[in-house]
Amino acid sequence: MRQILLKNGFVVSMNKKEQVYTQGSILIENDRIKAVGDVEQSLIASDAEIVDVKGKIIMPGLINTHVHTSQQLGRGLGDDVNLLTWLHERIFPYESNLTEEDSYISTLLCCLEQIRAGVTSFAEPGGQFVSSMAKAVGEIGIRAKLAKSVMDCGEGLPARWQKTTREELEKQEEDLRKFHNTADGRVQVWFGLRTIFNNSDDLIIQTKELADKYGVGVHMHVAEVKEEVEFALETRGATIVKHLDNLGVLDKNFLAVHTVWLTDEEVDIFRDKQVKVSHNPAAAMRVLGFAKIPRMLKEGICVTLGTDGAPSSNRMDLIDEMWLTSLIHKGWRLDPTIMKAEEIIRMVTVNGAKAILEENSIGSIEVGKKADMIIINPDSPGMLPLHDNIANLVTSMHSSNVESTICDGKWIMRERKILTVDESAILNEAKKRAAAIYKRAGIQLPHRFPYI
Ligand SMILES: [Zn+2]
């Protein structure tokens, strides 16, 4: 038996009553939380590791509901270009030239950035190699819902990605059989759907059937760009959400990402079908759209936050996304009272857990749940003073304030040092591999200033 006692912390529990312990302790036993608040002495083992966290804030590990780990080595390939250039000239060449080993390093690098920003769980919408993502997540020590990027139709696809509906479904089932519930259950496999541009109705329907059969979720980009809605209208005769509803796939285990171009009626459909939403504010700003997040929250829809991939939003930093979320909706709606800090904290904790179908095991610091939490040290010029501790977590916390991370009861990062993998070796390998992929893919970015 292994115990860790964190004592004297400011604990933002996110339990059902959303209680905050101003001088709280947390007792972790193996992978679970054994006690919170005033911990009885009799529960503490003589060899427990005792850590005084006075002056620090402890909150549940953050949950990133949309991040493309395989795109991490493509950061910077898509800045200041339109969507078709981004996709056809940058991202398709990059992703289709990625090897399994590249994807492994890309995932490790992405996880490093996420851990440093307080994330202990994420959902991956679909990379090319579930095998290498599973390996990386297993080694680095956090949790993930992984999926394969799935496409059975559409224009501009590289030859190696031209697959039939059957091939795509079979590959996903194979990945699920091999990797689901591996790494002590930290690695789980979901079903992916890329977008309506690249997924046939047959594929969409059968994907949902398989997800139900295996008791997992479906992760899909929905209404990210205006053209997507127009495309659905032209090819399916209905806007995208209405079309997905007509196909019968909208459900509790459907995680819809972006959801920028929704009508009010479609927001109601999401509410009625209990669809989960991943809001990615930085990526949405890139392609110019405001998702109706305040309205969704009012309707009781489970809204969560995601970073998207590195070529889309550059920073795989969920803390930056929290800050952005708090700002953009105020500006857009001309109302400084909407999108309050507490709502945003729910998005990255309890709502995130619900969206990835883990509300019974993570998302809050409660007895019996998995021990996933972060220790925040606010003593920095950028975060002090703490007149309003909870608001500060959204408005002035930086990822550098995340001092330590525990996932599944184990220290993953301690005092900013990553303990599970060799970080500098990964950074070196990432630089080499990114340069090699860039060359192989034949991408040539123009110089913005003359190089001499
Ligand atoms: Zn995405």
Side-chain angles (χ1 to χ4, degrees):
M1 187 182 73
R2 220 164 17 85
Q3 280 193 346
I4 303 171
L5 177 72
L6 306 175
K7 61 175 202 181
N8 303 322
F10 184 91
V11 180
V12 182
S13 74
M14 298 313 290
N15 65 17
K16 290 188 185 62
K17 293 182 184 163
E18 301 189 325
Q19 289 165 311
V20 172
Y21 300 86
T22 53
Q23 282 288 315
S25 297
I26 301 167
L27 181 65
I28 297 166
E29 188 170 292
N30 299 325
D31 58 336
R32 305 232 172 223
I33 297 164
K34 193 169 171 73
V36 185
D38 279 330
V39 176
E40 272 180 52
Q41 202 58 39
S42 62
L43 293 175
I44 306 166
S46 56
D47 61 348
E49 179 186 357
I50 297 175
V51 184
D52 194 335
V53 286
K54 192 170 170 47
K56 295 176 184 170
I57 301 168
I58 305 177
M59 69 181 289
L62 310 184
I63 299 168
N64 183 356
T65 55
H66 185 71
V67 53
H68 295 257
T69 60
S70 305
Q71 291 182 355
Q72 191 78 0
L73 299 182
R75 171 151 48 206
L77 290 183
D79 293 329
D80 307 335
V81 293
N82 66 32
L83 184 74
L84 283 184
T85 308
W86 186 92
L87 201 61
H88 293 156
E89 293 175 30
R90 307 284 173 82
I91 300 312
F92 281 176
Y94 160 79
E95 274 195 272
S96 63
N97 273 286
L98 211 67
T99 66
E100 197 165 349
E101 192 63 16
D102 293 333
S103 162
Y104 166 66
I105 296 296
S106 184
T107 304
L108 284 173
L109 185 68
C110 184
C111 289
L112 283 172
E113 187 179 5
Q114 292 195 79
I115 292 166
R116 290 192 166 283
V119 168
T120 52
S121 284
F122 70 87
E124 154 74 59
Q128 310 311 310
F129 305 100
V130 171
S131 52
S132 53
M133 293 191 283
K135 184 173 172 230
V137 173
E139 288 172 8
I140 211 158
I142 59 173
R143 296 180 198 281
K145 307 286 182 189
L146 304 176
K148 183 188 174 300
S149 176
V150 176
M151 297 186 269
D152 67 340
C153 61
E155 281 172 31
L157 287 185
R160 63 197 289 187
W161 283 358
Q162 286 171 16
K163 303 274 191 246
T164 65
T165 309
R166 183 93 327 259
E167 282 169 331
E168 289 290 47
L169 292 167
E170 281 173 4
K171 178 68 183 145
Q172 290 186 94
E173 270 197 281
E174 185 194 320
D175 285 338
L176 193 135
R177 277 195 294 270
K178 277 191 197 157
F179 305 109
H180 190 53
N181 269 328
T182 54
D184 298 327
R186 287 185 290 103
V187 171
Q188 299 202 342
V189 179
W190 275 27
F191 286 85
L193 287 167
R194 189 103 177 192
T195 71
I196 195 87
F197 292 119
N198 299 106
N199 296 148
S200 68
D201 288 352
D202 261 358
L203 179 73
I204 295 170
I205 293 168
Q206 290 181 61
T207 295
K208 171 70 168 100
E209 285 170 1
L210 282 176
D212 289 347
K213 177 181 161 189
Y214 290 100
V216 298
V218 179
H219 193 152
M220 183 179 190
H221 298 91
V222 177
E224 178 179 11
V225 290
K226 212 170 172 186
E227 291 85 343
E228 213 181 307
V229 179
E230 286 155 9
F231 177 83
L233 262 174
E234 257 168 49
T235 59
R236 280 29 180 229
T239 52
I240 177 161
V241 171
K242 283 186 110 173
H243 179 65
L244 293 173
D245 192 33
N246 291 340
L247 295 181
V249 299
L250 296 181
D251 203 348
K252 284 180 198 152
N253 63 344
F254 195 96
L255 176 59
V257 183
H258 299 305
T259 66
V260 174
W261 297 94
L262 261 57
T263 62
D264 289 349
E265 189 193 349
E266 289 174 324
V267 171
D268 292 347
I269 294 174
F270 270 19
R271 177 201 58 209
D272 294 344
K273 296 293 160 72
Q274 298 182 49
V275 169
K276 312 300 186 348
V277 166
S278 177
H279 174 42
N280 296 203
M285 291 301 93
R286 272 282 284 271
V287 285
L288 311 175
F290 290 97
K292 294 179 174 175
I293 301 302
R295 188 185 174 94
M296 291 182 193
L297 289 174
K298 220 167 144 195
E299 293 298 334
I301 294 170
C302 177
V303 177
T304 67
L305 292 188
T307 54
D308 211 348
S312 301
S313 57
N314 302 76
R315 299 163 188 236
M316 302 299 96
D317 185 327
L318 204 62
I319 291 169
D320 287 348
E321 300 284 343
M322 289 164 70
W323 177 60
L324 266 181
T325 305
S326 81
L327 290 177
I328 66 170
H329 299 285
K330 289 178 170 70
W332 169 52
R333 305 309 300 269
L334 302 177
D335 182 356
T337 69
I338 58 168
M339 299 304 295
K340 292 190 165 59
E342 54 271 38
E343 290 176 309
I344 294 167
I345 291 173
R346 285 180 201 122
M347 288 180 191
V348 293
T349 57
V350 282
N351 287 12
K354 200 170 166 191
I356 60 168
L357 308 174
E358 293 289 353
E359 64 263 44
N360 295 324
S361 54
I362 57 170
S364 60
I365 298 177
E366 288 181 89
V367 173
K369 280 200 169 179
K370 291 277 190 180
D372 290 11
M373 62 195 76
I374 55 176
I375 301 171
I376 296 153
N377 184 353
D379 287 349
S380 63
M383 193 169 172
L384 289 178
L386 299 177
H387 293 306
D388 184 343
N389 304 34
I390 302 296
N392 275 40
L393 293 173
V394 173
T395 55
S396 54
M397 175 165 71
H398 301 265
S399 54
S400 53
N401 292 110
V402 179
E403 189 177 79
S404 302
T405 302
I406 293 173
C407 183
D408 214 34
K410 296 195 181 86
W411 295 100
I412 303 298
M413 177 172 76
R414 194 132 188 209
E415 284 158 18
R416 301 293 292 164
K417 184 170 172 31
I418 302 284
L419 303 180
T420 46
V421 293
D422 182 343
E423 184 170 24
S424 62
I426 294 166
L427 299 185
N428 277 333
E429 190 65 20
K431 279 190 273 188
K432 272 190 243 155
R433 285 183 180 272
I437 301 162
Y438 183 85
K439 208 168 161 201
R440 224 160 46 231
I443 301 168
Q444 191 64 58
L445 297 185
H447 291 166
R448 289 168 188 261
F449 292 122
Y451 284 16
I452 52 169

